[in-house]
Amino acid sequence: MGRGQLILIEGLDRTGKTTQTELLLNNLSPNAELIKFPQRQTPIGKIIDRYLTDKSYELPDQAIHLLFSANRWELIDSIKSTLDSGKHVILDRYVFSGVAYSVGKNIPGMDIHWCVSPDKGLMRPDLTLFLVNEMGSDSRAGFGEERYESVGMQQKVRKQFDLVLKELGDATVKTLNVTGKTIDEVELMIRRQVDNLLSNPNEEYHHF
């Protein structure tokens, strides 16, 4: 039995990303596991959760970026163990989001190269699907109350995703335009990409 495949779904808030990761998990079950980043139950994840939910809790932007990266490193051995067992792992956000959100803050010294550095060596997904809604993040209601859940921040991050995908992307990254699509239509688009991967799965691991 070959190893499982690492499948990432990326995108801004309110693009249907989380809904689609859960649908994909159901489609691939019981041979799949879903991990959402940040993973808030780990020691580092609990600090991140407080930072996101308590706006009075301040940390330097450089420090929170490193914590987000460290949160991914906390899970990487577990992810590899799951994949080695033959089980697929679905990710809701990963390196691309981590870099795009930090670069979008426009902090001096926190350019894309600085932001990518702590993630060097992390496992690269076998397939990354980036969901794009051309109607814009401000066209959908329902932003939450967490620190980054605002139209202004989402617009800044959207501009950075193209830069991040150009810097870190490769042939395994696919952009899916979900503008005006129903949940079922997007699910079908994703399943076609995933089925293509599973019909010709990767056996070797690759890294950023």
Side-chain angles (χ1 to χ4, degrees):
M1 179 178 65
R3 72 169 177 87
Q5 301 296 288
L6 184 59
I7 302 165
L8 166 64
I9 298 183
E10 278 279 14
L12 295 175
D13 289 353
R14 313 306 300 166
T15 56
K17 170 181 51 59
T18 297
T19 297
Q20 292 300 329
T21 58
E22 291 171 351
L23 287 172
L24 183 58
L25 176 65
N26 289 336
N27 287 328
L28 296 180
S29 290
N31 194 39
E33 177 180 313
L34 172 61
I35 297 176
K36 300 182 180 184
F37 281 110
Q39 170 39 255
R40 303 185 190 215
Q41 302 307 311
T42 68
I44 292 173
K46 291 177 181 178
I47 300 174
I48 294 172
D49 181 65
R50 183 181 175 191
Y51 173 80
L52 292 175
T53 58
D54 180 359
K55 294 180 182 178
S56 68
Y57 180 57
E58 295 295 336
L59 288 171
D61 290 292
Q62 295 85 349
I64 192 62
H65 176 77
L66 294 173
L67 286 171
F68 272 103
S69 178
N71 188 231
R72 293 186 280 275
W73 281 105
E74 279 185 298
L75 273 293
I76 202 64
D77 286 345
S78 175
I79 291 172
K80 187 175 185 300
S81 177
T82 301
L83 294 172
D84 285 342
S85 75
K87 200 171 187 178
H88 308 304
V89 175
I90 303 163
L91 301 179
D92 181 345
R93 296 201 185 282
Y94 192 47
V95 173
F96 298 97
S97 278
V99 175
Y101 272 81
S102 289
V103 175
K105 295 179 179 180
N106 295 315
I107 304 298
M110 287 182 62
D111 60 13
I112 189 168
H113 301 293
W114 188 92
C115 290
V116 167
S117 293
D119 288 322
K120 290 291 187 180
L122 280 174
M123 192 180 303
R124 181 180 286 274
D126 298 296
L127 175 65
T128 296
L129 300 175
F130 178 52
L131 306 188
V132 176
N133 183 350
E134 298 296 350
M135 294 173 67
S137 59
D138 55 345
S139 67
R140 296 189 59 178
F143 282 112
E145 298 297 325
E146 292 193 355
R147 191 178 294 257
Y148 295 154
E149 293 178 340
S150 68
V151 171
M153 185 62 185
Q154 294 294 308
Q155 289 174 338
K156 291 178 181 178
V157 174
R158 176 65 186 94
K159 294 178 181 178
Q160 299 303 326
F161 259 119
D162 290 337
L163 176 65
V164 172
L165 291 174
K166 182 178 180 180
E167 179 74 18
L168 297 179
D170 60 10
T172 65
V173 178
K174 311 292 183 183
T175 299
L176 301 183
N177 191 328
V178 301
T179 308
K181 299 288 195 302
T182 66
I183 291 174
D184 289 344
E185 288 171 335
V186 176
E187 182 183 10
L188 180 59
M189 294 168 68
I190 290 173
R191 281 309 307 268
R192 286 171 177 164
Q193 295 289 340
V194 172
D195 287 346
N196 286 339
L197 170 66
L198 299 185
S199 67
N200 187 27
N202 291 322
E203 294 298 334
E204 296 184 3
Y205 291 112
H206 299 280
H207 302 84
F208 286 100

